[in-house]
Amino acid sequence: MSDDNSNSENGSSSKKNWLERLGQLFQGEPKSREELVEVIMDAGDRDLIDQDTKDMIEGVLEVSELRVRDIMIPRSQMVTVEKSQPVSAFLPMIIESTHSRFPVVNEDKDHIEGILLAKDLLQYGFSLTEEPFAIEKVLRPAVVVPESKRLDKLLKEFREERYHMAIVVDEFGGVSGLVTIEDILELIVGDIEDEYDAEESAEIRQISKRVFAVAALTDIEDFNEFFHTDFSDEEADTVGGMVMHAFGHLPGKGEQVEIDGFIFKVAHADRRRLLQLQVKIPDNQETSSSEPV
């Protein structure tokens, strides 16, 4: 009985000590970020907060320190629509990319005319309107932010102004990339799955004639069997590992690399690993099946 009481008292004492430390920390300004992180780590070690909660808190701290330039999708990787193009020219690209928002450019990426939402095209595809299509009718205003803007400030603006994408410009006014609200939220909560991810239980799934969604954990052996290729599995067992080795670093969403004619684009990744890849195969490449495997 006394032992139980002793254990109970020790547990209560440990919790009290940790809570006292946390209370003392917030009685005034924290002395340092390192001190705050130490308390959070200690809380995780004592199972006072679970791993997901700890990761989210660390993500919030990270967002408060980062700038837009640190997470933006670079200009070279922006998927854009040319204002002068007919729908028939840019629609296949919209379907293949699976994005929901596209900057509309005039001549080049330094001249952003606005943002096109894929859903705004639906009324023209299903005869819901008799008006001829004109891209000017569906353009949304483009929000422009500087590279140096703090992410926590931008997240607040995203929420208050109810927009989801911003064009990023450098100190000279040139377009250097774009950033979305999802990019910021994923720093806090990890990878955010969308409606396409719900269907990605298959390791390899065909999206269009030459584009496939491939889970990063797909064995290279299974990849080779499906695509009739002979990628080596000596340095990596999975497709994600092979792609990381080709990059030489952990790539972010939107980055792509070409390996033996195959273009591997990162569709989803978190701070630790690749999750989903989009693979464009060469024109003459055959596959075992057009069905999911």
Side-chain angles (χ1 to χ4, degrees):
M1 184 70 175
S2 60
D3 290 341
D4 291 340
N5 288 337
S6 176
N7 291 336
S8 177
E9 290 173 359
N10 289 337
S12 299
S13 176
S14 296
K15 182 177 292 186
K16 183 178 179 181
N17 290 339
W18 181 83
L19 291 174
E20 286 176 348
R21 289 173 60 192
L22 185 61
Q24 292 170 358
L25 184 63
F26 285 101
Q27 284 177 359
E29 289 294 324
K31 295 179 181 179
S32 67
R33 183 181 185 275
E34 289 70 24
E35 186 176 351
L36 179 58
V37 171
E38 181 181 347
V39 173
I40 295 169
M41 296 293 291
D42 187 41
D45 293 340
R46 296 172 182 270
D47 293 328
L48 296 174
I49 57 175
D50 59 28
Q51 183 64 42
D52 289 339
T53 302
K54 188 176 76 169
D55 289 343
M56 288 178 64
I57 295 174
E58 291 175 349
V60 170
L61 293 175
E62 187 175 6
V63 165
S64 68
E65 291 192 337
L66 294 177
R67 306 282 175 169
V68 169
R69 70 170 69 90
D70 297 317
I71 70 163
M72 69 180 185
I73 297 171
R75 172 192 176 112
S76 61
Q77 296 174 12
M78 289 170 52
V79 180
T80 61
V81 170
E82 172 61 51
K83 184 178 179 181
S84 61
Q85 288 181 313
V87 177
S88 58
F90 64 73
L91 187 58
M93 177 271 296
I94 286 180
I95 295 173
E96 181 175 309
S97 71
T98 71
H99 295 169
S100 58
R101 293 172 174 80
F102 301 86
V104 177
V105 304
N106 188 2
E107 296 183 0
D108 59 47
K109 292 180 180 179
D110 280 324
H111 298 84
I112 305 291
E113 297 290 324
I115 304 296
L116 173 65
L117 271 61
K119 68 177 184 180
D120 288 339
L121 299 176
L122 292 176
Q123 60 180 322
Y124 297 97
F126 292 92
S127 301
L128 298 178
T129 178
E130 296 181 357
E131 295 183 14
F133 174 78
I135 199 167
E136 293 83 0
K137 296 179 181 179
V138 294
L139 273 187
R140 309 291 182 97
V143 176
V144 178
V145 299
E147 289 182 352
S148 58
K149 193 176 189 68
R150 281 174 43 180
L151 288 184
D152 55 349
K153 299 292 185 182
L154 180 58
L155 179 58
K156 183 178 180 180
E157 289 182 12
F158 273 143
R159 295 175 57 201
E160 292 179 346
E161 304 298 328
R162 297 186 178 183
Y163 59 89
H164 291 188
M165 174 184 284
I167 304 300
V168 184
V169 296
D170 59 26
E171 58 183 317
F172 304 106
V175 172
S176 54
L178 63 82
V179 63
T180 69
I181 189 172
E182 181 176 293
D183 295 327
I184 303 177
L185 292 177
E186 286 186 340
L187 288 176
I188 301 173
V189 301
D191 185 63
I192 299 174
E193 296 185 349
D194 57 24
E195 62 272 22
Y196 293 96
D197 297 320
E199 301 175 0
E200 286 174 357
S201 57
E203 288 188 333
I204 303 175
R205 180 173 58 85
Q206 188 164 13
I207 298 175
S208 63
K209 185 177 180 180
R210 296 195 302 117
V211 178
F212 292 77
V214 178
L217 291 178
T218 301
D219 288 339
I220 293 177
E221 182 180 350
D222 294 336
F223 186 94
N224 286 337
E225 182 178 351
F226 186 87
F227 290 105
H228 304 299
T229 51
D230 57 356
F231 289 109
S232 172
D233 58 0
E234 292 183 1
E235 296 179 338
D237 296 323
T238 66
V239 177
M242 178 181 71
V243 170
M244 281 186 59
H245 185 269
F247 274 107
H249 65 276
L250 176 59
K253 180 179 178 181
E255 291 190 62
Q256 63 183 40
V257 65
E258 182 174 345
I259 307 175
D260 294 345
F262 284 71
I263 298 176
F264 295 84
K265 180 178 179 180
V266 179
H268 298 290
D270 60 23
R271 287 168 285 178
R272 296 174 293 275
R273 64 194 186 283
L274 299 179
L275 299 172
Q276 194 74 25
L277 302 166
Q278 192 177 92
V279 181
K280 180 180 288 187
I281 67 175
D283 291 334
N284 59 350
Q285 187 68 39
E286 297 182 357
T287 66
S288 296
S289 170
S290 61
E291 297 299 320
V293 298

